[in-house]
């Protein structure tokens, strides 16, 4: 069965829980393609827990609150926010010390986080040793899977992607270098000052052959893209 989005509730309730998360992620990716690289689209989340209207001390109300907390922990785990999920599960254990499922979930999360720390260490070592492709692949997986680690991962991952771009730059692969620079900016927008000069140069190099062809539409498009990264570039302003 498939959800019927024209009605308030889907025809198949079992499929509905994933709709909101996937729809929001799709919308975020679509917006990022339109506003990047100068801006970064992030996804915020708020979870509200509300007890039933019955006496808060009743068993039914307590059960409803525990189920809501368990749903909160499950949602955080699905989003990769394992530290917060663990905190939510610990809160469940305070109210229900005998909850074996919560204890089991905490053990699983501890194993996941321990493996993630080992993977991060390997990725950093590989990048420091000059094995950029493997190190970037490893850290990118963690970056995508663990939103809570992005703040710590983004600087080193972004710098490694820039280093890959610089290698392509040295080989005069302007398109490839530009792709790496844009990826680095989407990973860590704070790297913009570090990238501005290379990105502008790459854009100018891509524009040069178009001038000889007289393809002014393409020239203006590339110049505008470059100015979004380096608005002060006199070279790109000239082409625009």
């Amino acid at each position: 069965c498939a959800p019927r989005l024209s009605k308030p509730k889907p025809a198949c309730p079992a499929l509905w829980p994933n709709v909101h998360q996937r729809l929001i992620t799709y919308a975020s990716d679509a917006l990022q393609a339109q506003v990047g690289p100068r801006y970064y689209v992030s996804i915020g989340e708020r979870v509200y827990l509300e007890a039933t209207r019955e006496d808060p001390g009743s068993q039914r109300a307590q059960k409803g609150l525990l189920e809501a907390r368990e749903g909160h922990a499950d949602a955080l785990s699905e989003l990769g926010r394992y530290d917060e999920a663990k905190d939510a599960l610990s809160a469940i254990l305070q109210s229900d010390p005998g909850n074996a499922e919560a204890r089991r979930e905490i053990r699983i999360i501890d194993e996941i986080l321990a493996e993630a720390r080992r993977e991060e260490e390997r990725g950093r070592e590989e990048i420091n040793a000059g094995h950029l492709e493997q190190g970037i692949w490893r850290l990118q997986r963690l970056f995508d899977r663990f939103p809570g680690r992005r703040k710590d991962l983004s600087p080193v991952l972004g710098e490694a992607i820039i280093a890959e771009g610089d290698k392509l730059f040295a080989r005069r692969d302007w398109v490839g270098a530009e792709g790496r620079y844009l990826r680095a900016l989407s990973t860590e927008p704070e790297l913009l000052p570090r990238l501005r000069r290379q990105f502008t140069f790459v854009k100018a190099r891509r524009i040069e052959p178009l001038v000889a062809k007289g393809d002014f539409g393409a020239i203006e498009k590339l110049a505008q893209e470059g100015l979004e990264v380096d608005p002060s570039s006199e070279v790109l302003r000239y082409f625009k």
Side-chain angles (χ1 to χ4, degrees), residues 72-107:
H72 181 203
D74 289 343
L76 291 170
S77 293
E78 288 180 7
L79 292 170
R81 294 165 59 174
Y82 294 106
D83 289 316
E84 295 174 66
K86 185 176 177 179
D87 290 341
L89 290 165
S90 297
I92 291 172
L93 287 177
Q94 289 179 357
S95 302
D96 181 15
N99 193 316
E101 182 65 18
R103 292 187 184 279
R104 187 182 73 84
E105 290 295 328
I106 287 177
R107 287 196 298 271

Side-chain angles (χ1 to χ4, degrees), residues 30 35 45-46 62 66 101 126 189 194 196:
V35 303
E45 179 193 8
R46 291 183 177 87
Q62 290 295 328
L66 283 172
E101 182 65 18
E126 287 166 342
R194 160 91 164 76
R196 184 174 283 127

Side-chain angles (χ1 to χ4, degrees), residues 120 124 139 142-143 149-158:
E120 181 177 343
R124 289 176 180 268
L139 293 189
L142 296 174
F143 184 89
R149 295 293 302 145
R150 287 177 183 173
K151 184 177 180 180
D152 293 327
L153 288 171
S154 59
V156 63
L157 179 58

